[in-house]
Amino acid sequence: MTEADRIQRLVARFGAASDRVVVGTGDDAAAVRVAGGVTVTSVDAVVDRVHFDLATWPLAAVGHKAVAAALSDIAAMGADLGEVYVAAGIPRSLGEAEFDQLCDGIAAAASGATIAGGDLTSADQLWLSVAVVGYAADENAIVTRDGAKPGDVIVVTGTLGGSARALELIAEGAQHDNLRLQKQFAPQPRFGAGRALAANGATAMIDISDGLARDAGHIGDASGVRLTISLPQIPLDAGIEDAKFAAASGEEYELLATLPAEKLAQARAAVAETGVALTEIGRVEEGAGAELQGTNGEAVAVRGFDHFD
Amino acid sequence: MTEADRIQRLVARFGAASDRVVVGTGDDAAAVRVAGGVTVTSVDAVVDRVHFDLATWPLAAVGHKAVAAALSDIAAMGADLGEVYVAAGIPRSLGEAEFDQLCDGIAAAASGATIAGGDLTSADQLWLSVAVVGYAADENAIVTRDGAKPGDVIVVTGTLGGSARALELIAEGAQHDNLRLQKQFAPQPRFGAGRALAANGATAMIDISDGLARDAGHIGDASGVRLTISLPQIPLDAGIEDAKFAAASGEEYELLATLPAEKLAQARAAVAETGVALTEIGRVEEGAGAELQGTNGEAVAVRGFDHFD
């Protein structure tokens, strides 16, 4: 297959391009009609034996995770999904059927988006670099990391811990159809919840890719405040009993946000309409960074996180 | 250096971000204020030992070429330059000084753009994936590959052949400061010329990455016409005497365009104002693909191009 054939096979996985896309793949560049407002763009790369391992990962999962990780950044800005651009280094050993599986995963994750461009090249090691573009009405409609205020409540979507547990199961050689692996093999960006939080008072938002504890620290650092999170309040995935394990679990792609306490009820209702639970897990205080607290308010360290400044 | 440190070093190479960039690196995604119109986006990837070879290439040249190749696609649409997003796989063997050289090349090529995002990861083999975004007032202001009409003249910017010659010199072990290597080590996208051609009647346009002959075929195929190019009219780089060599030379990043004959004089004048020569090299006819003709109008084959259908 030539590169053009492969890009065509990839694009064929997608439905009709949105009306916004004036020029799709096959020209020098994609052209997209924009109404004005704000575009939101993120680039995310994954590499074999760094972010996944072809020895234990199905190719569909590799494609799915690469695209979902990039899309999750758009969701975390509270923006609408637009276009996806996929660059990939493909080892010569990867056959046609395997390439199709990779495309299946990319297409499944990008459902609702238009794949508007790509560049495929040979490489010794499989890698994907996914650029995603989203849209918002104006600057006030997006939620960055730097707006958390003392007194805000801290909320998180969904449940945590399942992603780290899935990694353990993969390492243990679990069957690929084990549904618990879906948190790694087919993560779901929280677009609806992101928009709902942005529209209902979120002052800061981030997607959980480094783990709740570290990502809370990112909001705290960017906002110049301290995020104090109560471990017993962290919503746990089914079968997860250790809140510290859940707080350290990366690549969850749930959303962590802050908002004024008086907006909590309406935000929870709006997020619930997207089929996702929203749980209050702490408070924003004066200070810096993030702190996890146990049942009696004592500071608790979690794996990969010892940020008590 | 952590990834955040490295991205910071890369961003530090750039001047002030444009006013358009509302949120730059350091949040989930970049946010860019757009006035409406059309965005133009392209993704281009380069891999060690596929598109360059670290054994014979300086790291600054690797960065420069990766970004220039992506930007050239924006120039070929006739659009204005906006933002650059750089994803890269960096081998652990690449030291701090070498990473700085890579950044130097990226920054030199992206001069005038804002680097608005990035993702750096470790990898066994050096690769870069560059996403670039440009802007145009509306759909009519961009030039695609599919608008060439029978009767149009065919024009090309600059001179050709130097890029293939530079590859030969690199293979022969030429000193890196040999100015003839600049066509490979520091290619210059033709932004000014692209805008001038778009504003002065260009019906189709492409940047020469696969070689004049093959890229003419791309316009012919997309437009449903035949591009007939006269070999003796091809403008040759200093020291290049074989027009067939020049017609096969890829990665020239000059622009190949078609336009109505009556617009030729004004287009040439507008392109000249950007400091670039514009040369008429042929005619668009009924038919398909592209044909190269010798002094007596005979069809001529060139290396890597035998497209006489």
Side-chain angles (χ1 to χ4, degrees):
Chain A
M1 277 192 291
T2 66
E3 190 209 326
D5 292 337
R6 282 190 146 149
I7 288 184
Q8 199 43 54
R9 285 175 92 95
L10 175 56
V11 171
R13 290 296 188 300
F14 284 71
S18 75
D19 292 344
R20 193 162 50 204
V21 178
V22 186
V23 178
T25 56
D27 216 296
D28 297 301
V32 179
R33 201 186 297 116
V34 291
V38 167
T39 62
V40 174
T41 303
S42 183
V43 178
D44 233 57
V46 295
V47 176
D48 186 21
R49 295 188 305 279
V50 179
H51 301 89
F52 59 89
D53 193 323
L54 275 185
T56 49
W57 281 61
L59 277 150
V62 172
H64 193 120
K65 186 174 178 182
V67 172
L71 291 177
S72 182
D73 287 322
I74 304 300
M77 300 292 277
D80 286 318
L81 172 56
E83 293 76 46
V84 173
Y85 301 83
V86 179
I90 311 283
R92 292 183 197 286
S93 58
L94 202 84
E96 207 167 310
E98 289 170 304
F99 180 76
D100 281 347
Q101 291 162 23
L102 184 69
C103 293
D104 287 342
I106 290 170
S111 172
T114 302
I115 183 163
D119 191 15
L120 305 182
T121 170
S122 63
D124 294 345
Q125 179 183 33
L126 180 66
W127 57 262
L128 285 92
S129 170
V130 181
V132 290
V133 180
Y135 299 93
D138 59 44
E139 296 164 51
N140 300 320
I142 58 171
V143 185
T144 52
R145 299 177 180 180
D146 59 359
K149 303 270 184 311
D152 284 353
V153 297
I154 304 168
V155 293
V156 66
T157 61
T159 55
L160 301 179
S163 180
R165 181 70 187 117
L167 278 186
E168 291 177 344
L169 290 168
I170 294 166
E172 291 164 10
Q175 293 291 315
H176 285 172
D177 58 359
N178 182 327
L179 286 177
R180 303 206 65 159
L181 304 192
Q182 296 295 301
K183 287 290 280 187
Q184 282 288 333
F185 287 173
Q188 302 296 326
R190 296 295 196 193
F191 271 97
R195 282 189 302 257
L197 284 162
N200 288 280
T203 52
M205 186 153 60
I206 194 170
D207 66 315
I208 298 179
S209 51
D210 294 342
L212 172 66
R214 291 182 63 194
D215 287 316
H218 293 149
I219 288 182
D221 291 342
S223 298
V225 296
R226 175 189 297 251
L227 270 64
T228 301
I229 292 174
S230 167
L231 272 172
Q233 288 178 253
I234 295 174
L236 303 179
D237 216 34
I240 305 292
E241 293 177 2
D242 181 356
K244 291 199 286 181
F245 178 87
S249 175
E251 303 169 340
E252 289 281 352
Y253 304 117
E254 297 293 349
L255 298 178
L256 174 68
T258 58
L259 70 168
E262 65 270 23
K263 297 281 183 77
L264 178 59
Q266 75 182 65
R268 185 183 279 129
V271 171
E273 278 181 30
T274 74
V276 176
L278 190 71
T279 306
E280 181 184 358
I281 58 171
R283 286 276 172 168
V284 180
E285 299 173 355
E286 305 276 353
E291 181 173 280
L292 296 172
Q293 295 185 341
T295 317
N296 302 314
E298 75 283 13
V300 175
V302 303
R303 180 169 55 85
F305 180 76
D306 53 0
H307 189 69
F308 291 106
D309 55 339
Chain B
M1 277 192 292
T2 67
E3 189 207 326
D5 291 339
R6 284 193 143 148
I7 288 184
Q8 199 44 52
R9 285 175 92 95
L10 175 56
V11 171
R13 289 296 188 300
F14 284 71
S18 76
D19 292 345
R20 195 162 48 207
V21 178
V22 186
V23 178
T25 55
D27 215 294
D28 298 301
V32 179
R33 201 186 297 116
V34 291
V38 167
T39 63
V40 174
T41 303
S42 183
V43 177
D44 233 56
V46 295
V47 175
D48 186 21
R49 296 188 303 281
V50 180
H51 301 88
F52 60 90
D53 194 323
L54 275 185
T56 51
W57 281 60
L59 278 151
V62 172
H64 194 121
K65 186 175 178 182
V67 172
L71 292 177
S72 182
D73 288 323
I74 304 300
M77 300 293 276
D80 287 320
L81 173 57
E83 293 76 47
V84 173
Y85 301 83
V86 180
I90 310 283
R92 291 184 198 285
S93 57
L94 201 85
E96 207 166 309
E98 290 169 302
F99 181 76
D100 281 347
Q101 291 161 24
L102 184 70
C103 292
D104 287 341
I106 290 169
S111 171
T114 301
I115 185 163
D119 191 16
L120 305 182
T121 168
S122 63
D124 294 345
Q125 181 183 31
L126 180 65
W127 58 262
L128 286 91
S129 172
V130 181
V132 291
V133 180
Y135 299 94
D138 58 45
E139 296 164 52
N140 300 321
I142 58 170
V143 185
T144 53
R145 299 178 180 180
D146 60 358
K149 303 272 185 312
D152 283 353
V153 297
I154 305 167
V155 294
V156 66
T157 61
T159 55
L160 301 179
S163 179
R165 181 71 187 117
L167 278 186
E168 292 177 344
L169 290 168
I170 294 166
E172 291 164 11
Q175 293 291 317
H176 284 174
D177 58 359
N178 182 329
L179 286 177
R180 303 205 64 160
L181 304 192
Q182 296 295 302
K183 286 290 281 187
Q184 283 288 333
F185 286 173
Q188 301 296 325
R190 295 297 195 193
F191 270 97
R195 282 190 300 257
L197 285 161
N200 287 279
T203 51
M205 187 153 60
I206 193 170
D207 66 316
I208 298 179
S209 51
D210 295 343
L212 172 66
R214 291 180 63 193
D215 286 316
H218 293 149
I219 288 182
D221 291 342
S223 298
V225 296
R226 175 190 296 251
L227 270 63
T228 302
I229 292 173
S230 167
L231 272 172
Q233 289 177 252
I234 295 173
L236 303 179
D237 217 32
I240 306 293
E241 293 177 1
D242 181 356
K244 290 198 287 183
F245 179 87
S249 174
E251 302 170 340
E252 290 282 351
Y253 305 118
E254 297 293 347
L255 299 177
L256 174 68
T258 59
L259 69 168
E262 66 269 23
K263 297 280 183 76
L264 178 58
Q266 75 181 64
R268 187 183 278 130
V271 171
E273 278 181 30
T274 73
V276 177
L278 190 71
T279 306
E280 181 185 356
I281 58 170
R283 286 274 171 172
V284 180
E285 299 173 355
E286 305 276 353
E291 181 174 280
L292 297 173
Q293 295 184 340
T295 318
N296 301 312
E298 76 282 12
V300 175
V302 304
R303 179 169 56 85
F305 180 75
D306 52 0
H307 188 68
F308 290 107
D309 58 336

